[in-house]
Amino acid sequence: MRAYRAAAVQMTSVPDLAKNLAQAEELIDLAVRQGAELVSLPENFSFLGNEDAKITQADTISQASEAFLKTMAQRYQVTLIGGGYPVPAKEGKVFNTALLVSPEGQELLRYEKVHLFDVNLPDGNTYRESNTVISGHLLPDVFPSKPFGILGLSVCYDVRFPELYRHLSQQGAEVLVVPAAFTEFTGKDHWQVLLQARAIENTCYIIAPAQTGFHNARRQSHGHAMIIDPWGIVLADAGVEKGVAIAEINPDRISQVRRQMPSLAHRVFP
């Protein structure tokens, strides 16, 4: 692993595949022009809207999303993470899938979101991800990247379940990626503190691309795509506008923090 610049992209996706992919390409281009070599796109980067429409178009969205990630990675010569996006499964449902792609356009790692967002919020919004999504059945794997460190994938609501990230750190993870579409209601209180907790307890960098703003009349995402260091310090925050959060990922910082706070080595229970 060497020092490099990473980008967490912040989007406002809508129920328009072509429009979303054009927006994503603009932001990938922006990130690359600022020196990013590892670029991450948020959950629902290619489609965010009516769930019935998502299911009806799942084949098209899935194929277009994967082709886009592979094409963009090759075009801009970056390692690219996108997810989740819907991949057809069984019973008319989909997997919420995140994908890690090399600069050669090769799939390196795939993760199907395990924890589904079925929540009634006090602001009157109800979310039932399980109505259209099948939970993944496997804990995420890590990918050992020589230039970028050992990478671990997750998606959005996963961030509330520390055991998933402890599993990744036990596999040697050094950089944890959390693509999200956090609601404004929960995000204002929980987003940053959850990300910082996952960084601190696993002494890992966190890269968290995000959705922001209104996607329709009722659904609003919190924004604040972030990159956080292993001590829990926020290195970059995209605020609430579309854009990118960019920061350096440095292996020396991981080593320093793990020397100062060797909590992973002090674990008593598996």
Side-chain angles (χ1 to χ4, degrees), residues 95-96 111-116 133-139:
F95 289 116
N96 188 342
Y111 166 64
E112 294 163 347
K113 185 181 180 185
V114 171
H115 300 102
L116 303 184
V133 178
I134 294 176
S135 172
H137 304 300
L138 300 174
L139 283 166

Side-chain angles (χ1 to χ4, degrees), residues 1-4 38 145-152 169 172-176 199-207 227-232 235 248-264:
M1 180 182 181
R2 57 170 171 77
Y4 61 94
L38 177 71
S145 166
K146 187 173 182 180
F148 303 134
I150 302 175
L151 306 173
S169 69
E174 297 165 314
V175 179
L176 302 169
I200 293 166
E201 69 198 6
N202 295 294
T203 53
C204 289
Y205 278 96
I206 295 279
I207 301 173
I227 298 179
I228 298 173
D229 89 346
W231 193 253
L235 302 178
E248 183 181 77
I249 308 297
N250 194 316
D252 292 340
R253 179 59 169 162
I254 298 173
S255 298
Q256 177 192 36
V257 170
R258 290 182 176 183
R259 284 195 306 270
Q260 292 174 338
M261 185 61 66
S263 53
L264 291 178

Side-chain angles (χ1 to χ4, degrees), residues 23-252:
Q23 179 188 164
E25 182 171 3
E26 288 179 6
L27 293 169
I28 292 168
D29 181 78
L30 176 62
V32 171
R33 285 190 282 111
Q34 294 183 40
E37 298 179 77
L38 177 71
V39 180
S40 56
L41 299 174
E43 184 182 32
N44 302 324
F45 73 91
S46 55
F47 189 92
L48 205 168
N50 180 275
E51 292 299 292
D52 291 335
K54 180 181 75 175
I55 294 300
T56 301
Q57 301 175 50
D59 275 314
T60 299
I61 297 169
S62 173
Q63 292 172 23
S65 299
E66 294 190 9
F68 174 82
L69 292 171
K70 292 174 181 179
T71 299
M72 292 300 105
Q74 289 179 292
R75 179 174 299 169
Y76 289 97
Q77 284 297 288
V78 292
T79 296
L80 188 58
I81 300 159
Y85 59 90
V87 173
K90 57 184 179 179
E91 302 167 0
K93 294 187 178 183
V94 298
F95 289 116
N96 188 342
T97 303
L99 199 67
L100 173 67
V101 179
S102 76
E104 294 73 39
Q106 298 298 312
E107 177 180 325
L108 301 176
L109 188 64
R110 179 180 292 254
Y111 166 64
E112 294 163 347
K113 185 181 180 185
V114 171
H115 300 102
L116 303 184
F117 192 56
D118 288 359
V119 177
N120 298 316
L121 295 179
D123 66 356
N125 280 314
T126 295
Y127 298 87
R128 286 288 178 271
E129 190 174 13
S130 63
N131 285 348
T132 57
V133 178
I134 294 176
S135 172
H137 304 300
L138 300 174
L139 283 166
D141 291 324
V142 297
F143 180 79
S145 166
K146 187 173 182 180
F148 303 134
I150 302 175
L151 306 173
L153 298 186
S154 61
V155 177
C156 200
Y157 192 47
D158 284 334
V159 78
R160 294 183 181 273
F161 300 89
E163 63 273 16
L164 184 146
Y165 298 89
R166 182 47 51 92
H167 163 79
L168 290 170
S169 69
Q170 284 182 280
Q171 307 307 307
E174 297 165 314
V175 179
L176 302 169
V177 188
V178 191
F182 239 67
T183 70
E184 170 57 20
F185 186 87
T186 58
K188 62 184 172 59
D189 296 323
H190 296 164
W191 170 244
Q192 181 173 326
V193 69
L194 284 167
L195 293 174
Q196 288 176 301
R198 301 295 83 86
I200 293 166
E201 69 198 6
N202 295 294
T203 53
C204 289
Y205 278 96
I206 295 279
I207 301 173
Q211 293 282 350
T212 192
F214 283 94
H215 310 285
N216 55 37
R218 290 183 60 84
R219 182 161 181 173
Q220 182 184 9
S221 291
H222 176 62
H224 295 280
M226 288 185 179
I227 298 179
I228 298 173
D229 89 346
W231 193 253
I233 296 170
V234 177
L235 302 178
D237 180 341
V240 296
E241 302 299 325
K242 290 183 285 188
V244 294
I246 294 185
E248 183 181 77
I249 308 297
N250 194 316
D252 292 340

Side-chain angles (χ1 to χ4, degrees), residues 5-31:
R5 287 171 69 80
V9 168
Q10 183 154 289
M11 300 179 60
T12 304
S13 296
V14 294
D16 186 323
L17 176 63
K19 185 174 181 179
N20 294 331
L21 296 184
Q23 179 188 164
E25 182 171 3
E26 288 179 6
L27 293 169
I28 292 168
D29 181 78
L30 176 62

